[in-house]
Amino acid sequence: LSDIMRPYQKDGFRWLSTLTEYGFGGILADEMGLGKTLQIISLILSMKERGETGTCLVVSPSSLIYNWEAELKKFAPGLKSVVCAGSPQERKMVLCSLSDVDVLITSYELLKRDIDTYRIRDFLLFVIDEAQYIKNNNTEASKAVKLIHSKYRMALTGTPIENRLSELWSIFDFLMPGFLYSYEKFRTDIELPSMRNTTSVALDKLRKMTGPFILRRL
């Protein structure tokens, strides 16, 4: 992909690679249209090239699952990518034959329905697209993605915070559980003080803690 990717996309790939090398997760928060999908595909390719084994799981809104499949076939034709959709029986057949699948793609809605099957498997990389879908920690989608076992985790969203800091906490609870404390401690020590004072020490602490794990280009 060297001749295809733009310099900032290569920087994104290096950032993603560095995080995974040290066992961290991150939020790729580039604005829409800057190629977040391509940067993740480059990460998957590099993992496979260095001998990492296992299936990568991509979960996105229903409207984007076939876009992911098309992008993978376009930019990484050597990878076997499969969409897990259709009837319950069709999805079961896909989930029972993952031994040679490099990338499995499904939607938040179908992941919720099939969570008992997903949660007993181990994935190499777990990517959630449009990560604002899990901004509310109490929704079924949020609970489902946090049950999945994977070696690495990444989140993609152009809007990591839409209304409340708790939305960012929920995404980090998926990426690196405990990093931003329990929600009760986060709310008491960071969210509430930040709501009262946008220049607070608490907000500055949050920026310093999360800054290395969020990459956003406009």
Side-chain angles (χ1 to χ4, degrees):
L1 298 178
S2 182
D3 294 336
I4 298 172
M5 297 177 72
R6 297 172 180 174
Y8 74 87
Q9 293 172 331
K10 293 179 181 180
D11 289 342
F13 159 71
R14 296 184 187 103
W15 177 79
L16 291 164
S17 297
T18 300
L19 289 182
T20 57
E21 183 177 345
Y22 289 99
F24 296 120
I27 303 175
L28 183 57
D30 289 349
E31 279 193 318
M32 185 174 68
L34 295 185
K36 293 189 288 293
T37 302
L38 178 58
Q39 292 172 73
I40 288 294
I41 291 173
S42 70
L43 176 66
I44 295 173
L45 278 170
S46 74
M47 287 179 172
K48 294 297 182 176
E49 285 185 357
R50 66 174 181 251
E52 296 254 26
T53 58
T55 301
C56 299
L57 174 63
V58 174
V59 174
S60 75
S62 302
S63 59
L64 296 178
I65 58 175
Y66 292 104
N67 180 69
W68 269 96
E69 182 185 38
E71 295 283 284
L72 280 157
K73 291 188 184 307
K74 177 180 179 180
F75 294 115
L79 297 179
K80 182 176 180 179
S81 56
V82 176
V83 171
C84 187
S87 68
Q89 187 60 35
E90 289 172 323
R91 301 198 304 273
K92 184 177 180 181
M93 289 177 62
V94 170
L95 292 170
C96 288
S97 55
L98 294 181
S99 58
D100 62 339
V101 173
D102 294 305
V103 186
L104 179 67
I105 309 157
T106 195
S107 68
Y108 288 100
E109 183 61 36
L110 294 177
L111 180 75
K112 289 189 295 182
R113 296 184 194 179
D114 301 331
I115 189 60
D116 288 341
T117 305
Y118 281 96
R119 66 186 298 180
I120 61 174
R121 299 183 179 279
D122 292 309
F123 294 94
L124 174 59
L125 170 67
F126 183 17
V127 179
I128 58 170
D129 194 9
E130 301 293 346
Q132 65 271 20
Y133 267 66
I134 70 161
K135 66 182 182 180
N136 184 336
N137 189 52
N138 295 316
T139 64
E140 292 302 315
S142 182
K143 292 175 182 177
V145 299
K146 294 174 185 181
L147 292 173
I148 303 298
H149 300 286
S150 62
K151 186 175 181 179
Y152 310 110
R153 293 187 174 200
M154 291 292 165
L156 311 182
T157 175
T159 53
I161 302 175
E162 292 180 314
N163 298 303
R164 302 171 56 197
L165 289 180
S166 60
E167 298 168 0
L168 187 65
W169 180 89
S170 184
I171 297 175
F172 268 94
D173 188 48
F174 158 74
L175 292 171
M176 298 183 287
F179 177 70
L180 289 182
Y181 320 119
S182 67
Y183 178 60
E184 291 74 17
K185 181 173 174 60
F186 176 82
R187 179 171 172 77
T188 301
D189 294 358
I190 295 179
E191 186 173 25
L192 291 177
S194 299
M195 290 167 64
R196 290 191 291 265
N197 181 1
T198 56
T199 61
S200 68
V201 173
L203 192 57
D204 186 53
K205 178 182 179 181
L206 178 63
R207 291 192 181 104
K208 288 179 178 178
M209 288 180 71
T210 60
F213 307 105
I214 302 175
L215 180 63
R216 179 168 177 79
R217 278 77 61 86
L218 308 178

